mmCIF file of all heavy atoms in Angstrom:
data_model
loop_
_atom_site.group_PDB
_atom_site.id
_atom_site.type_symbol
_atom_site.label_atom_id
_atom_site.label_comp_id
_atom_site.label_asym_id
_atom_site.label_seq_id
_atom_site.Cartn_x
_atom_site.Cartn_y
_atom_site.Cartn_z
ATOM 1 N N CYS A 174 23.179 -7.355 15.514
ATOM 2 C CA CYS A 174 24.050 -8.011 16.489
ATOM 3 C C CYS A 174 23.949 -7.401 17.885
ATOM 4 O O CYS A 174 24.268 -8.042 18.883
ATOM 5 C CB CYS A 174 25.498 -7.975 16.008
ATOM 6 S SG CYS A 174 26.311 -6.369 16.170
ATOM 7 N N GLY A 175 23.565 -6.133 17.972
ATOM 8 C CA GLY A 175 23.453 -5.474 19.276
ATOM 9 C C GLY A 175 24.769 -4.969 19.835
ATOM 10 O O GLY A 175 24.778 -4.354 20.903
ATOM 11 N N CYS A 177 27.757 -3.867 17.565
ATOM 12 C CA CYS A 177 28.604 -3.054 16.678
ATOM 13 C C CYS A 177 28.325 -1.566 16.920
ATOM 14 O O CYS A 177 27.413 -1.208 17.674
ATOM 15 C CB CYS A 177 28.350 -3.421 15.220
ATOM 16 S SG CYS A 177 26.733 -2.855 14.620
ATOM 17 N N CYS A 180 24.689 -0.588 16.093
ATOM 18 C CA CYS A 180 23.723 -1.110 17.077
ATOM 19 C C CYS A 180 23.819 -0.357 18.400
ATOM 20 O O CYS A 180 22.803 -0.026 19.014
ATOM 21 C CB CYS A 180 23.939 -2.596 17.301
ATOM 22 S SG CYS A 180 23.309 -3.643 15.958
ATOM 23 N N CYS A 188 23.001 -2.385 11.225
ATOM 24 C CA CYS A 188 24.017 -3.242 11.845
ATOM 25 C C CYS A 188 25.186 -3.521 10.897
ATOM 26 O O CYS A 188 24.996 -3.877 9.747
ATOM 27 C CB CYS A 188 23.362 -4.560 12.277
ATOM 28 S SG CYS A 188 24.540 -5.737 12.989
ATOM 29 N N HIS A 189 26.404 -3.330 11.406
ATOM 30 C CA HIS A 189 27.601 -3.560 10.597
ATOM 31 C C HIS A 189 27.964 -5.035 10.499
ATOM 32 O O HIS A 189 28.674 -5.442 9.592
ATOM 33 C CB HIS A 189 28.790 -2.783 11.196
ATOM 34 C CG HIS A 189 28.605 -1.301 11.180
ATOM 35 N ND1 HIS A 189 29.411 -0.435 11.861
ATOM 36 C CD2 HIS A 189 27.673 -0.522 10.556
ATOM 37 C CE1 HIS A 189 29.005 0.815 11.670
ATOM 38 N NE2 HIS A 189 27.945 0.784 10.889
ATOM 39 N N THR A 190 27.501 -5.834 11.453
ATOM 40 C CA THR A 190 27.857 -7.256 11.461
ATOM 41 C C THR A 190 27.050 -8.025 10.420
ATOM 42 O O THR A 190 27.583 -8.890 9.731
ATOM 43 C CB THR A 190 27.603 -7.852 12.856
ATOM 44 O OG1 THR A 190 28.323 -7.090 13.828
ATOM 45 C CG2 THR A 190 28.045 -9.307 12.921
HETATM 46 ZN ZN1 LIG B 711 25.190 -4.644 14.950
#
Side-chain angles (χ1 to χ4, degrees):
C174 75
C177 71
C180 284
C188 177
H189 297 168
T190 304

